[in-house]
Amino acid sequence: GAVVSQHPSRVICKSGTSVKIECRSLDFQATTMFWYRQFPKQSLMLMATSNEGSKATYEQGVEKDKFLINHASLTLSTLTVTSAHPEDSSFYICSAPAVTGGGVMGNQPQHFGDGTRLSIL
Amino acid sequence: AQKVTQAQTEISVVEKEDVTLDCVYETRDTTYYLFWYKQPPSGELVFLIRRNSFDEQNEISGRYSWNFQKSTSSFNFTITASQVVDSAVYFCALSEWGGGSNYKLTFGKGTLLTVNP
């Protein structure tokens, strides 16, 4: 079945560091990927929609300059947390629906990466 | 207002008990999709089921069953004869048109299910 690989699985770094998280679709092309953030014991909150070849669409309240998204190919999207601070510590999860072409069909289950646990000291 | 409400924050049962996880959703769309995902302690999300708004047929898959009722905007999930391995956080999610060319997935807050031996 479709697999989404997310790397790294865990990052611990000092405040002020920029951290890049990769999300790859391994056996399918993903024109769209999604980035979520999950605080401990809370739900997944959609941060942004990553679109191959165009700018990402950010949800209200998410800082574009803080969370840089690049979707340069049909199989890779990256999320860079710039100048990370302790409040950015969280579990970040990417997902991709296994569809190609224009648009995301609502009935397609999202295939999720295993998540990245980011800890900023 | 929450689009997806999972009123039960935590549920604890003893193995072999049946347990139902509630999910109530809110949408103005006539076409939408509902999902259940499981998140074990390791963190990865596992897809369990999807249901579209036009299909109210209930579904059974092994020990899992789902009851979709449009009249009450509910999509409840029942685990029969629960097992310790069922312990996880279960998320109900709603997929609606988000504008542009994409649907967006909104998650409920999740229900932590603990099955004790």
Side-chain angles (χ1 to χ4, degrees):
Chain A
V3 176
V4 172
S5 173
Q6 190 172 339
H7 178 80
S9 58
R10 188 177 185 96
V11 180
I12 302 173
C13 57
K14 294 180 179 179
S15 185
T17 306
S18 291
V19 179
K20 180 186 282 188
I21 303 170
E22 293 187 346
C23 182
R24 292 180 185 275
S25 56
L26 295 185
D27 54 359
F28 65 101
Q29 294 181 332
T31 55
T32 301
M33 290 184 177
F34 300 92
W35 287 96
Y36 296 85
R37 182 173 182 175
Q38 185 180 29
F39 289 105
K41 297 187 178 181
Q42 293 194 25
S43 186
L44 283 77
M45 300 299 296
L46 179 64
M47 298 174 65
T49 303
S50 173
N51 303 299
E52 187 270 335
S54 64
K55 291 182 180 179
T57 305
Y58 290 81
E59 295 300 301
Q60 193 172 13
V62 178
E63 299 177 59
K64 301 178 185 181
D65 296 332
K66 177 73 171 176
F67 299 100
L68 299 179
I69 290 174
N70 184 279
H71 196 150
S73 77
L74 288 170
T75 59
L76 174 64
S77 174
T78 60
L79 168 67
T80 301
V81 184
T82 61
S83 187
H85 291 284
E87 58 266 28
D88 299 322
S89 298
S90 191
F91 191 54
Y92 293 87
I93 308 174
C94 69
S95 73
V99 291
T100 57
V104 174
M105 298 305 292
N107 65 342
Q108 293 298 320
Q110 299 283 331
H111 300 284
F112 288 86
D114 287 346
T116 297
R117 198 163 301 280
L118 176 62
S119 300
I120 307 298
L121 306 176
Chain B
Q2 290 183 52
K3 283 182 173 289
V4 180
T5 301
Q6 293 181 253
Q8 305 144 308
T9 305
E10 296 187 32
I11 299 176
S12 182
V13 299
V14 177
E15 211 169 14
K16 297 185 182 178
E17 281 186 35
D18 298 347
V19 58
T20 295
L21 310 181
D22 298 333
C23 175
V24 174
Y25 62 93
E26 181 183 328
T27 180
R28 293 180 179 179
D29 290 358
T30 54
T31 301
Y32 55 89
Y33 306 87
L34 295 162
F35 297 82
W36 275 95
Y37 285 88
K38 174 182 180 180
Q39 187 178 39
S42 51
E44 79 278 14
L45 278 152
V46 178
F47 164 71
L48 296 177
I49 191 173
R50 69 168 172 235
R51 180 60 80 226
N52 72 50
S53 52
F54 301 113
D55 181 5
E56 286 194 72
Q57 196 170 21
N58 293 326
E59 183 162 336
I60 298 175
S61 175
R63 295 185 297 108
Y64 297 168
S65 62
W66 291 268
N67 184 348
F68 176 31
Q69 304 232 344
K70 282 183 75 172
S71 60
T72 55
S73 297
S74 66
F75 185 41
N76 297 336
F77 172 32
T78 297
I79 301 175
T80 304
S82 59
Q83 300 176 1
V84 173
V85 292
D86 295 328
S87 297
V89 179
Y90 290 86
F91 289 100
C92 178
L94 167 69
S95 178
E96 319 169 87
W97 185 249
S101 58
N102 293 323
Y103 277 78
K104 288 185 181 180
L105 202 56
T106 302
F107 286 83
K109 292 190 174 181
T111 297
L112 172 62
L113 173 65
T114 302
V115 181
N116 299 298

